[in-house]
Amino acid sequence: MSSSSEQPASLRSEQVAQTRAALVAAGRRLFGEKGFRATSVEDLAREARLTTGALYHHFPTKTALFEAVFVAAHSELMVASAEAAKGATDGLDELARGFDAFLDGVLQPDVQRILVLDGPAVLGLARYTELDERYAYAVIVGSLKAAAKAGTIQIDDPETATRLLLGALTRGAMLIANSSDPLSTRHAVAKSMRSLLSSFSP
């Protein structure tokens, strides 16, 4: 009895997850290519091969879908940053490598448009900051505390320092996105971020 009643529920759950994934993938493609304003709900539904009703069933507004796309793209960059940090010599090198990977991600036009150009405007500054910090904040605080414990850096308030570093990284991403020479700007931003990190050295 229980297995037969559970199966439809698990199938429904799988279908819901697949539909949601299709919508997020469609949003990633269209928001990344055309931007938020130029992408209609009808465009998104067509790209996902769904009806607009199905879209609204999962996401009450176009902004809600954009937020899911923003989180997915941000999460991808965090994974890439964590991967790049492997093999670091210490906590500061770990952060520098992670920041480098993030800045490399910002060079991708779709990531740039979603995270840097449209993100603050679509989500609003408060929500944008909240989502921007959701995954990165704890990681950076942890790295700073580990580096301080190891004696690599001297820092009194790792929480505030983390928010300042994230602010610098976000502004650096904006510089890259609006630059006529994104690659050179990326290198300049990375160099400045490393200088900021090295200022914590005792």
Side-chain angles (χ1 to χ4, degrees), residues 67-101:
E67 180 173 308
V69 170
F70 178 94
V71 168
H74 200 282
S75 298
E76 284 175 23
L77 282 195
M78 289 303 299
V79 169
S81 295
E83 194 65 30
K86 287 180 180 176
T89 54
D90 56 44
L92 282 188
D93 186 38
E94 186 177 78
L95 286 175
R97 290 184 186 210
F99 290 167
D100 280 351

Side-chain angles (χ1 to χ4, degrees), residues 26-144:
R28 175 67 182 268
R29 284 191 293 274
L30 295 183
F31 291 144
E33 288 173 15
K34 300 165 63 175
F36 179 82
R37 286 177 181 273
T39 301
S40 69
V41 169
E42 290 74 20
D43 292 336
L44 291 161
R46 193 180 309 114
E47 180 73 15
R49 297 183 179 182
L50 295 165
T51 63
T52 53
L55 185 152
Y56 283 125
H57 178 73
H58 292 273
F59 297 99
T61 63
K62 186 172 75 162
T63 300
L65 175 54
F66 178 86
E67 180 173 308
V69 170
F70 178 94
V71 168
H74 200 282
S75 298
E76 284 175 23
L77 282 195
M78 289 303 299
V79 169
S81 295
E83 194 65 30
K86 287 180 180 176
T89 54
D90 56 44
L92 282 188
D93 186 38
E94 186 177 78
L95 286 175
R97 290 184 186 210
F99 290 167
D100 280 351
F102 175 84
L103 296 173
D104 283 338
V106 172
L107 288 172
Q108 300 171 41
D110 62 329
V111 172
Q112 192 179 103
R113 186 181 290 276
I114 292 164
L115 293 188
V116 185
L117 298 175
D118 280 352
V122 175
L123 300 172
L125 187 59
R127 184 62 173 160
Y128 172 78
T129 303
E130 180 189 340
L131 292 173
D132 194 42
E133 289 187 358
R134 178 181 287 177
Y135 305 105
Y137 177 78
V139 174
I140 296 172
V141 168
S143 293
L144 289 177

Side-chain angles (χ1 to χ4, degrees), residues 170-183:
T170 299
R171 289 304 294 266
M174 290 178 179
L175 284 174
I176 293 167
N178 291 290
S179 174
S180 58
D181 187 352
L183 188 59

